[in-house]
Amino acid sequence: MAEPGVETRTRSSVITARAAASFDPVGRSVATARAFVRDTLQGWGYSDVVDDAVVLTSELVTNAVIHAGTSADVLCLRTEGGVRVEVSDRYPEREIPMQGTGLSLGSPDRENGRGLLLCAALASRWGVDYTPTHKQVWFQLDLPDRPVGARSAGPVIPNALLPVTDERVRVAVVQIDRTGAVSTWNEDAEHLFGYPADQVIGKPLTDFAAWPHTPGIGTGIAEALLLSRWEGSYGIRGSDGRVIPVYASHLRVRDTEGEPSTVCLLVRDDERAVIQSPQRAPVTEAGAESRTVDPFEVFIGSPAPEDLDGLLQRTVERARDMLEGDSAFLLLATDDETELEVRATTGLPSARQRFARVPVEAGTGRYGSARMPAVHEDLVIVPGAVPLLNGTGMRSVVTVPLKVEGRLTGSLGVAAESAGRYSNEEALRLQFAADRIALAVESARLGELERLRRGSLSFLVEASDLLAGTLDRDQTLALMAQMTVPTLATWCAVYTIADQASDPYLSYVLHEDEERIDGLKALLSTIDPPEPVPTPGARVWTGPADAAHQAALRTSMRELGGASTPVSSGIGTTLATAAAVGGETVVLPLVARNRVIGMLTLGKPSDDHFRQEILELAEDLSRRAALPTR
């Protein structure tokens, strides 16, 4: 076997550059590895494949440092036709299934399976190499073919229609160092603005710039000089005190020593045609019709996932990588725009959060609302500002709304483990991305809702037919319980109330796993039943989860204490029951003749939540089940 990082296949392309780095087995190494690959490929001028390379590296380094628990070695190899990235860990025993073997690469919902699925989807080629001490996963990204010839061209037009300039066109070349001070000031800059070079070199450009302030946008000239590219209009205050309108094109570069600076080309604003970038031409493939570049595809990648869950998952991964965060999340708004439902996360405990709901308006003021962009520099200072991140170790976060025609449809956020990572500039970048994808996300969400509603209608029609076949109350309630599991819930319990003077009685208990029914029934028999409240709708009941947690804790303490008396139910059964009822539990009343005749209790396993659509369907079913008893 070859050593890690050494090419083992025959390749026609010669390696022209390489860069390597090692990362410790800690969570923050994933973000550091993403930054390393991004900086390396951008330095090589391979911006066409940077986004895909960063996404793949992020997943593979996560597999190494989080799932395999070893350090990760990352090697980038540049060729004339593309780039190869190799990620090695020190856990060769953890074998990875290869393409064509018939083995599953994993589920997209599992953190440790997505990396290989992404390699198969995004990479030109990929594979796995093993040595006695290392396992190496590599992928190759080929540069897209570029058409030979002119990048852009305009038609021949009459001289009278050509842009007007002075007889001597002057382009000021001003270079700004990392501190924001002028380091280069050419002769044309002296002529345009009246300052000799020795009067401006070493001084901040902000001393001379008249920067426009757009309401609601906090980007100033200092922030604009840090962007990789910027183009637009502002003013330069000349030596005579007059403001000279200019059109500028900024490019952020770095020298051979790695020192960053910004090169600014400036012309008079009425001569902007000299340096202004041409309008982006439609992308044309040989033998194909012209097609305008879709801004959505630029962010999400092509081909875009066809299903909503896949689209949302790709969105949070791209958002996380774009801002080099440690986690990201996307929430979708309910129809009444009062709550947001967690639908996709990366870098967070997804099982605990999925379908959890948070209010849109979390407090007073604009920063307590999901309808506005928000930046929290340190969540330790404002605990609870983003409930989704409680207990996750995230310190800083930026969130932006997804809106369609002015209506809130969701919220997109990126978080980091360190404080002070994000500013208004990152919020603007994330908002731009959110604006690009909002319509596609909303279209996919409406499609999913339509499918859910059609399925719900079929379910209710079938339920009505079954329930109409009997007028016996006990049989009706038993049928209702059977229809809820597993279609609506993992487990259910039905309480009946004989008359107004009677207490609720536990009549039926069902679980999708029959082996859990006895333990669940025993647990529910030890706690007080829910209150028979006639108010329509589902309400949360914490009784089963609290009781299961306490029972599991007591059993574990006895086991650890080495009690001589055996526990009758056994720790295995107790823990299994705790897991079975550890998620969200809701209660719906069964009302007939304005009296509560029973209650339908629905539950989820550990840390799981109900979707709003499921609760609405359960409420409809409970109303229908109560009808035959009138």
Side-chain angles (χ1 to χ4, degrees), residues 186-209:
N186 74 341
E187 182 181 342
D188 281 354
E190 293 184 11
H191 187 276
L192 286 173
F193 310 124
Y195 301 103
D198 58 1
Q199 288 188 13
V200 295
I201 289 179
K203 295 183 179 180
L205 182 63
T206 52
D207 288 356
F208 311 97

Side-chain angles (χ1 to χ4, degrees), residues 240-309:
D240 58 2
R242 294 185 302 110
V243 174
I244 303 165
V246 298
Y247 191 82
S249 176
H250 299 175
L251 176 65
R252 188 79 166 164
V253 298
R254 62 176 176 173
D255 61 21
T256 55
E257 302 297 325
E259 184 70 13
S261 63
T262 303
V263 177
C264 307
L265 305 182
L266 304 99
V267 298
R268 293 186 180 90
D269 194 56
D270 56 7
E271 295 180 342
R272 64 171 59 196
V274 174
I275 63 171
Q276 187 173 24
S277 298
Q279 294 293 325
R280 186 179 296 273
V283 175
T284 305
E285 299 178 358
E289 295 182 0
S290 173
R291 184 175 71 90
T292 303
V293 174
D294 186 349
F296 165 74
E297 289 186 359
V298 171
F299 174 73
I300 207 68
S302 181
E306 295 181 358
D307 63 301
L308 177 61
D309 287 339

Side-chain angles (χ1 to χ4, degrees), residues 413-434:
V414 177
E417 293 178 349
S418 56
R421 281 281 297 276
Y422 302 116
S423 64
N424 289 342
E425 189 59 54
E426 283 77 22
L428 287 173
R429 291 179 62 198
L430 190 62
Q431 185 66 72
F432 182 80

